[in-house]
Amino acid sequence: MPIKKTLVISNQNTEGPMDDGNAPPDHLQPFMLDVSQLRGRIVRLPQVANDILAAHNYPPAISRLLAEALCLTTLLAGMLKFDGIFTLQLKGQGALKTMVCDITTGGMLRGYAYFSEEKLAALGAAPDLMTLAVKGYLAFTVDQANSAERYQGITELAGSTLTEAVQHYFRQSEQIDTGFVTQIDQDKDGAWKIAGILLQQLAREGGTPLSDTDEDAWRRSMMLLNTLQPGELLDEVTPLNTILYKLFHEEGIRVFPPLAITKGCRCSIDKIRTVIDGLSVDEQQEYADNGVITVTCEFCNKHYEIPVASIDKGE
Ligand SMILES: [Zn+2]
């Protein structure tokens, strides 16, 4: 079946082997289903997300939610059409106060959570999303590099998992049918295994409704997606492209160059200094201990020690 129109997807071509080739273990694999005209991305994060979670050492319920958020953030990195940063933010008024994950166009991923240990302890072993993040909402932000331009979408939390909440946002706010599957597990040694897949309609001009053919294609592809077995994406022995082929070979699948995902933080002493410079002298004195302000990056736990004397240059 011929492809109906030119695809507007940056940095992608139509070549690509069906094994993962030389892709690193942590990678995001974009793909396209020619017959149903859907785009998708599949990701597995055996090392990177685990490194991020191990560095924080949060209680299990927070780690699991952050694992899911890191997976979804990586899948949504495709929202970046130009150089920039995609941020997924979850805010709540219960045990969970804030969870933030972001990823650069180059695949550098990070995330952290801020929560009340006391409130969390009162919730039991495995609280669901709504119990953790009472009166919560989600924010999706795209910051384009070298530009003040910023896109932000905000929605109230709906659903019992973060994956459902993100899916709900795309249906309601973006009006783009999007299907997500995320699989998260922790092995007996405590290592996290994280993988996910996204399937999405191409954006239609001016909100044109789906044709019957498109509706059929969507339903058919979602049925195929839902044949995934629990934990199937996590099995590192099976290359991601083998899974894609098994699921969608009848839909004319094409894969594009994968994006390597790395753990990384963009904090720097210069950025911290700018924040401290923005404080009044009184505030600086308040935060200082023996003339030094210690700042810890919440994303990567790196400590910065800034002597107040070096800030008060004007005095
Ligand atoms: Zn940092």
Side-chain angles (χ1 to χ4, degrees), residues 28 34 77 109 168 245 247 287 293:
L28 178 73
D34 283 342
L109 179 67
H168 179 81
Y245 185 77
L247 288 173
Y287 288 115
I293 296 182

Side-chain angles (χ1 to χ4, degrees), residues 40-62:
R41 294 185 280 281
I42 186 168
V43 70
R44 191 185 278 151
L45 300 169
Q47 197 58 54
V48 168
N50 206 48
D51 288 348
I52 294 171
L53 292 166
H56 288 304
N57 197 19
Y58 295 140
I62 300 292

Side-chain angles (χ1 to χ4, degrees), residues 265 267 297 299-300:
C265 198
C267 64
C297 172
F299 281 105
C300 67

Side-chain angles (χ1 to χ4, degrees), residues 99-312:
M99 186 170 277
V100 183
C101 296
D102 70 21
I103 188 164
T104 64
T105 319
M108 198 162 82
L109 179 67
R110 61 181 190 168
Y112 78 91
Y114 177 62
F115 57 97
S116 153
E117 287 194 34
E118 202 181 321
K119 285 187 179 174
L120 184 68
L123 294 180
D128 73 4
L129 179 67
M130 293 307 203
T131 316
L132 264 178
V134 179
K135 294 184 186 162
Y137 67 88
L138 272 176
F140 301 76
T141 312
V142 174
D143 287 294
Q144 305 289 5
N146 310 318
S147 151
E149 224 174 281
R150 166 177 255 220
Y151 167 84
Q152 190 167 59
I154 295 179
T155 185
E156 282 181 11
L157 281 188
S160 59
T161 66
L162 189 58
T163 304
E164 283 176 22
V166 170
Q167 187 153 304
H168 179 81
Y169 166 79
F170 276 90
R171 293 235 173 97
Q172 297 301 313
S173 304
E174 301 284 324
Q175 301 193 332
I176 300 175
D177 275 328
T178 310
F180 292 88
V181 172
T182 54
Q183 297 186 342
I184 317 283
D185 203 4
Q186 197 177 19
D187 70 19
K188 57 181 185 337
D189 301 322
W192 290 93
K193 300 170 91 176
I194 294 161
I197 183 167
L198 165 159
L199 209 54
Q200 191 167 54
Q201 299 273 3
L202 296 174
R204 296 183 300 283
E205 276 170 36
T208 329
L210 282 184
S211 69
D212 288 351
T213 320
D214 289 344
E215 283 278 12
D216 286 349
W218 174 250
R219 262 190 237 115
R220 191 175 64 240
S221 302
M222 284 304 287
M223 271 170 57
L224 293 171
L225 179 61
N226 289 322
T227 62
L228 260 180
Q229 299 300 305
E232 189 174 352
L233 294 176
L234 300 175
D235 175 13
E236 285 169 45
V237 176
T238 315
L240 291 181
N241 286 349
T242 305
I243 295 175
L244 286 180
Y245 185 77
K246 185 187 156 210
L247 288 173
F248 299 120
H249 62 275
E250 288 168 12
E251 298 292 321
I253 184 160
R254 281 191 290 153
V255 294
F256 304 103
L259 173 68
I261 307 298
T262 54
K263 176 196 173 194
C265 198
R266 303 187 306 282
C267 64
S268 70
I269 195 147
D270 288 345
K271 282 185 190 171
I272 306 274
R273 273 218 178 93
T274 309
V275 173
I276 293 176
D277 281 346
L279 300 175
S280 69
V281 173
D282 283 351
E283 285 170 319
Q284 290 180 4
Q285 295 303 337
E286 205 178 300
Y287 288 115
D289 190 14
N290 287 329
V292 172
I293 296 182
T294 305
V295 178
T296 304
C297 172
E298 291 184 281
F299 281 105
C300 67
N301 286 329
K302 188 168 174 185
H303 299 291
Y304 292 91
E305 294 193 345
I306 318 264
V308 177
S310 78
I311 301 161
D312 297 341

